[in-house]
Amino acid sequence: MHSNSLGRTSEITSGPDVVVIGEALVDVVASSNGPIEHPGGSPMNVAYGLGRLGVATALLTSLGADARGEAIEAHLRRAGVELLPGSKSAARTASATATLAADGSATYDFDISWELPAVAPAHLPKVLHTGSIATFLAPGATVVRGLLEQSHRECLVTYDPNIRPALLGSQAEAVRIFEDLVPLTDVVKLSDEDATWLYPGVSLEDAAERILRLGAGLAVVTRGGEGSLLATPATQLFIPAVRSTVADTIGAGDSYMAALIYGLLSRRTEGLGQDVLTTIGRMASKAAAITVRRPGANPPTAVELAADLPGAEVIQGTKATAAVVV
């Protein structure tokens, strides 16, 4: 990891523990009663999930001065998330129309423009998180990169590319942008779909190794119902998924990301050994399982997560791997 590893102690001024930078939008979901609107956007969902977990969190985004923007702001406020100055600068609030498949998975049609004022958070957080459309779509992506360049030596940076092919240019250009950002980060989380799109024909383990070689200290690949892979230069762990009845999968990956950050914060002086990775991987998997039980992006509170985490048996295997039976 960079000098801003989990064990790093630095001057932290008063302010949020986590600053999230990225898009906030309205998910429009078709239902038998007509369209239903939910606040959404991957970074916004991560910020909301962190707030639900009791983490002091702020979001830098781009909202319009309209009813949808007000709904998102109220949604964030209910979780205790601060909206940073400069976040109400868009002509209109973005939207994504979600189409649900029979298994509860969603595909999206986006109406979004992404511009972000060149403002920096007033306080140095412990964690800076970004991802998704915000890191790829011009012109705002340039501002996001600039903020990472300013901050990555001073705080832990987490990144979830959350690939949306419909909004990207060529695959080669998206890979270039992604790999240009990874050296400015410490933790990269992506889904198996993201990994396969970025690196077709490459195994998930090899994709994680490539991300580590680019400079990340922890690469996480989620595989839906098949569990998740957590890899560092020294360790590779597989965490099985927690079985759950699925209402829909909206926000599941974002809940995983929020719980992963929550776990990293709670164990930030302990490094990234097997025990720490196992604990935070289980926690993140459980958060995703709780979320998919409920319609929309509805992540757990810290109390719900703690109540839903029974003891686990750790089974160690070869190549420093472990599986967790939940």
Side-chain angles (χ1 to χ4, degrees), residues 42 50 78 86 103 127 135-136 153 157 172-173 175 218 228-229 240:
S42 176
L50 284 161
R78 285 191 289 272
D103 63 358
V127 177
T135 58
F136 292 97
R153 290 187 177 87
V157 176
E173 175 68 5
V175 171
L218 171 62
S228 54
L229 171 73

Side-chain angles (χ1 to χ4, degrees), residues 84-297:
L84 289 180
S87 293
K88 299 179 185 178
S89 55
R92 70 180 185 282
T93 299
S95 66
T97 301
T99 302
L100 298 180
D103 63 358
S105 62
T107 56
Y108 297 90
D109 181 29
F110 292 91
D111 176 14
I112 184 171
S113 61
W114 174 242
E115 296 186 35
L116 199 63
V119 296
H123 300 283
L124 177 67
K126 295 174 183 174
V127 177
L128 181 69
H129 173 76
T130 192
S132 195
I133 297 165
T135 58
F136 292 97
L137 191 62
T142 302
V143 177
V144 173
R145 179 183 167 78
L147 290 171
L148 293 189
E149 288 175 336
Q150 294 171 32
S151 306
H152 78 281
R153 290 187 177 87
E154 305 300 329
C155 57
L156 189 79
V157 176
T158 60
Y159 177 35
D160 177 3
N162 198 29
I163 299 293
R164 301 299 189 191
L167 291 174
L168 302 181
S170 70
Q171 186 265 358
E173 175 68 5
V175 171
R176 186 196 67 75
I177 293 170
F178 171 71
E179 294 194 339
D180 203 35
L181 282 179
V182 170
L184 303 177
T185 72
D186 296 289
V187 178
V188 177
K189 192 280 285 184
L190 65 169
S191 70
D192 52 355
E193 291 180 351
D194 296 335
T196 300
W197 192 87
L198 287 166
Y199 304 118
V202 175
S203 72
L204 300 182
E205 291 82 1
D206 287 346
E209 290 289 341
R210 180 164 179 160
I211 291 166
L212 295 174
R213 287 197 301 272
L214 288 167
L218 171 62
V220 179
V221 184
T222 60
R223 299 171 30 184
E226 300 302 314
S228 54
L229 171 73
L230 286 77
T232 71
T235 302
Q236 197 172 89
L237 300 179
F238 172 69
I239 308 294
V242 176
R243 299 302 167 193
S244 182
T245 302
V246 177
D248 64 50
T249 62
I250 295 173
D254 302 324
S255 290
Y256 186 105
M257 187 74 240
L260 185 70
I261 295 170
Y262 176 67
L264 290 168
L265 277 170
S266 66
R267 310 297 290 268
R268 64 191 300 266
T269 62
E270 300 177 38
L272 290 175
Q274 282 194 21
D275 289 347
V276 171
L277 289 177
T278 298
T279 299
I280 64 177
R282 286 186 60 237
M283 185 183 300
S285 294
K286 199 69 189 185
I290 294 169
T291 301
V292 301
R293 295 175 196 163
R294 317 195 281 215

Side-chain angles (χ1 to χ4, degrees), residues 15-19 50-51 53-58 80-82 125 265:
D17 286 338
V18 181
V19 169
L50 284 161
L53 290 169
V55 177
T57 304
V81 177
E82 176 190 359
L265 277 170

Side-chain angles (χ1 to χ4, degrees), residues 41-72:
S42 176
M44 194 287 300
N45 286 340
V46 172
Y48 181 78
L50 284 161
R52 292 268 289 172
L53 290 169
V55 177
T57 304
L59 175 67
L60 178 62
T61 189
S62 180
L63 297 175
D66 50 28
R68 285 175 166 175
E70 290 173 3
I72 290 171

